[in-house]
Amino acid sequence: AAPTGDRVFEYRLRDRRTGVAQAIVYRLDRVDGDRLVFNQGNRVERTGGAVLENKQPSAGDFDAAMPPGGWVSAPPEPGARWSLRYTNRQLDRTLQLELTARTGETSSFQVAGRELQIVRVGFDGYVHRGTGTVLTSGTFKANAWYAPEIGCVVRFDVRSRGGNGLAQFDIDEVVELDRKSTRLNSSHTDISR
C-alpha cells in the first residue's frame, strides 16, 4: 500500500568533537502490513520502531551499535531495567556490546508543529570494537529519547572511549530528528514510524 501524505524523517548526525554534521533522511516508500519500508527497501521497520533491516547504515553508532530490533521498539515501562548482550558485524567491522538499559524521565519534544511526549532510555556498559579478529575494549554510554506517538527515537547521543595506540577510539555523537525539515501529516499516528 502506498502511504498517504508525507512521511519523511530527517535526522542530523553531529560529531560533538569536531562539529561536523550531516543529514540522514528516511523516506517512507510503502507500508506492507505492519512493515514500513524506507529508502527503496534499504531500511525496514515494524510499526512502533522495531528495526528489521538496515542495509545502508549511515547514522554513526546510532546504526552501528544498534541492538537487534532497534534501540527502543515499544514504549518502555517506567523504571524498567534490562540487560543486552549482542554482536553487530558490518563489512569488516565488529562491535560486541554488553549493556544495561534503564528507563528514565519523560519530557516533551517539538517537531513539525507538534509537541510529542518522549521517554529517555539510558544504555551503559562496555564495547569491544575492531576489524577482523582484532578487537579493543572500552566504555559505552548512550541515551535514546523515544516518542511513542510516532514510534521512533527522536534523539540519540553516544559517548564511547577505549582502546590504545592505533586502535584507540573516542566517539561523541548525537543524532536528532530535524525539527524543521521532518514532515508529519495529521494522520501520521495511523502508521507510526
Side-chain angles (χ1 to χ4, degrees):
T4 58
D6 289 329
R7 289 190 178 79
V8 177
F9 297 84
E10 185 171 326
Y11 287 83
R12 300 288 301 165
L13 167 63
R14 183 172 50 89
D15 184 321
R16 290 187 287 201
R17 292 174 297 113
T18 65
V20 173
Q22 67 180 24
I24 310 295
V25 177
Y26 301 110
R27 182 177 307 279
L28 181 61
D29 297 320
R30 68 181 185 279
V31 178
D32 295 330
D34 70 343
R35 295 166 44 101
L36 308 175
V37 180
F38 293 88
N39 298 353
Q40 299 171 347
N42 286 313
R43 185 176 181 98
V44 180
E45 298 181 5
R46 286 205 190 285
T47 55
V51 178
L52 303 175
E53 287 182 60
N54 193 9
K55 296 176 186 173
Q56 291 184 332
S58 56
D61 265 16
F62 177 66
D63 281 341
M66 183 184 298
W71 289 103
V72 183
S73 57
E77 291 294 320
R81 178 182 169 153
W82 63 98
S83 296
L84 300 161
R85 197 175 187 155
Y86 58 96
T87 300
N88 285 348
R89 289 184 179 84
Q90 297 167 348
L91 301 173
D92 66 340
R93 189 166 68 166
T94 300
L95 277 80
Q96 296 175 344
L97 293 107
E98 300 170 32
L99 304 173
T100 298
R102 291 180 185 88
T103 303
E105 73 279 355
T106 59
S107 58
S108 62
F109 186 88
Q110 186 85 19
V111 63
R114 290 172 58 187
E115 185 167 318
L116 304 173
Q117 294 303 304
I118 58 174
V119 61
R120 183 183 65 82
V121 178
F123 299 85
D124 195 13
Y126 300 96
V127 62
H128 311 283
R129 297 175 181 269
T131 56
T133 59
V134 179
L135 301 178
T136 58
S137 299
T139 58
F140 186 94
K141 185 172 182 68
N143 292 289
W145 285 266
Y146 177 78
E149 184 180 346
I150 60 173
C152 72
V153 173
V154 297
R155 187 176 198 282
F156 178 84
D157 67 34
V158 61
R159 181 84 171 106
S160 184
R161 315 173 66 159
N164 54 43
L166 295 175
Q168 185 173 354
F169 59 88
D170 185 3
I171 296 166
D172 191 358
E173 299 172 335
V174 63
V175 176
E176 186 171 79
L177 193 62
D178 187 313
R179 299 166 195 239
K180 295 178 184 173
S181 298
T182 296
R183 298 188 304 264
L184 305 174
N185 69 5
S186 59
S187 66
H188 183 75
T189 55
D190 294 338
I191 303 171
S192 300
R193 176 187 179 286

